[in-house]
Amino acid sequence: MPKARGKSARSRQEDSDMETDPPTQASQPTLTQAQRAAESLSRQEIERKVNEVVQFFLIMEQKKAAVKRADITKHILKEHSRVFPVVFEKAKKKLREVFGVSVEELEGKDKRYILVNLVNTPDGQDHLNMLDDGPKSGLLLVVLSLIFMKGNVIQDTLLWHTLKRLGIEENHPHEVLGDVKGLLTKEFTRQQYLEYKRVPQSDPPSFEFRWGPRAHKETSKRRVLQFVSKMYGSESLEIWTSQYQDVLRAEGGEGGGT
């Protein structure tokens, strides 16, 4: 997805596949140490990891599963584990301000966290709270967002490559979501949330995902673009030029606000 606030598009270079064990309790970095470690990463890389942590929380929440610090390190931060305090604080702020949920740490030594709905938030913001939208809705919103931001269609290989950064692999059962490949290619397609079809005349065969009819009925491109914009800290939709024009075409209008 492109960068918001008029900044240049974030680098598409992916993190290496190297994984490191999470630091022990005695060696966990302080916030100051993490801030120094974060200087080795660009602002775009930090923001991408923050967004991936937010998405990881939303997906794990669907079965009320606690999020382990070790899993955030393993699947998202990888060799950059020492920036955890910086990324985690930014992710907590975004979850509170965008989704109206608070990250709470559970008792114990294994560093586990859960999301708790904020009741009667004082700022009166219109939060995009996905926690009450039914099972697996967090994953579905992430996938619908990726499809929309890629021009309303995404190759399955690119989708799986992106989801892998959230600890979701095509051919391995997920500890919370189970068979994610079956979920996307069978359950969500049967429910008409997604379309999964072979690219015509592709050899070897390749497949692509699009929004299904139910997705068009139950959500909108404007809502998905609002979700993406808030993930990147912006209230404006117009900064996403092509996607915003797509929203206007879908609504049959020539203009409008955010």
Side-chain angles (χ1 to χ4, degrees), residues 55-93:
Q55 294 169 350
F56 189 68
F57 264 102
L58 294 177
I59 291 170
M60 294 292 285
E61 175 65 18
Q62 299 314 305
K63 288 189 177 179
K64 302 300 180 184
V67 172
K68 300 176 183 177
R69 173 174 176 154
D71 287 340
I72 294 175
T73 298
K74 177 181 178 181
H75 297 304
I76 298 174
L77 300 182
K78 299 181 180 180
E79 70 269 26
H80 303 294
S81 61
R82 297 193 70 81
V83 304
F84 177 89
V86 170
V87 171
F88 191 57
E89 287 302 314
K90 291 179 179 292
K92 287 199 299 183
K93 180 180 179 182

Side-chain angles (χ1 to χ4, degrees), residues 92-101 123 125 127:
K92 287 199 299 183
K93 180 180 179 182
K94 184 162 289 187
L95 283 162
R96 174 181 290 272
E97 294 180 352
V98 176
F99 296 94
V101 293
D123 56 12
Q125 295 184 34
H127 297 297

Side-chain angles (χ1 to χ4, degrees), residues 3 9 15 21 40 43 52 75 77 93 105 119 127 134 149 176 198 200 206 216 223 229 241 252:
K3 277 288 281 115
D15 290 333
D21 293 330
S40 65
R43 294 175 63 184
E52 288 173 359
H75 297 304
L77 300 182
K93 180 180 179 182
E105 184 174 348
V119 181
H127 297 297
M149 299 304 289
V176 171
R198 178 176 174 175
S206 62
H216 286 283
R223 186 188 180 201
S229 294
T241 306

Side-chain angles (χ1 to χ4, degrees), residues 80-147:
H80 303 294
S81 61
R82 297 193 70 81
V83 304
F84 177 89
V86 170
V87 171
F88 191 57
E89 287 302 314
K90 291 179 179 292
K92 287 199 299 183
K93 180 180 179 182
K94 184 162 289 187
L95 283 162
R96 174 181 290 272
E97 294 180 352
V98 176
F99 296 94
V101 293
S102 173
V103 177
E104 302 292 338
E105 184 174 348
L106 299 177
E107 293 184 3
K109 297 180 180 180
D110 52 353
K111 294 291 183 180
R112 295 178 302 136
Y113 310 92
I114 60 172
L115 296 183
V116 177
N117 279 310
L118 295 174
V119 181
N120 298 323
T121 52
D123 56 12
Q125 295 184 34
D126 180 20
H127 297 297
L128 294 175
N129 191 343
M130 292 299 299
L131 302 189
D132 298 323
D133 285 359
K136 308 181 182 89
S137 61
L139 173 64
L140 180 59
L141 181 57
V142 169
V143 172
L144 291 176
S145 300
L146 290 170
I147 294 171

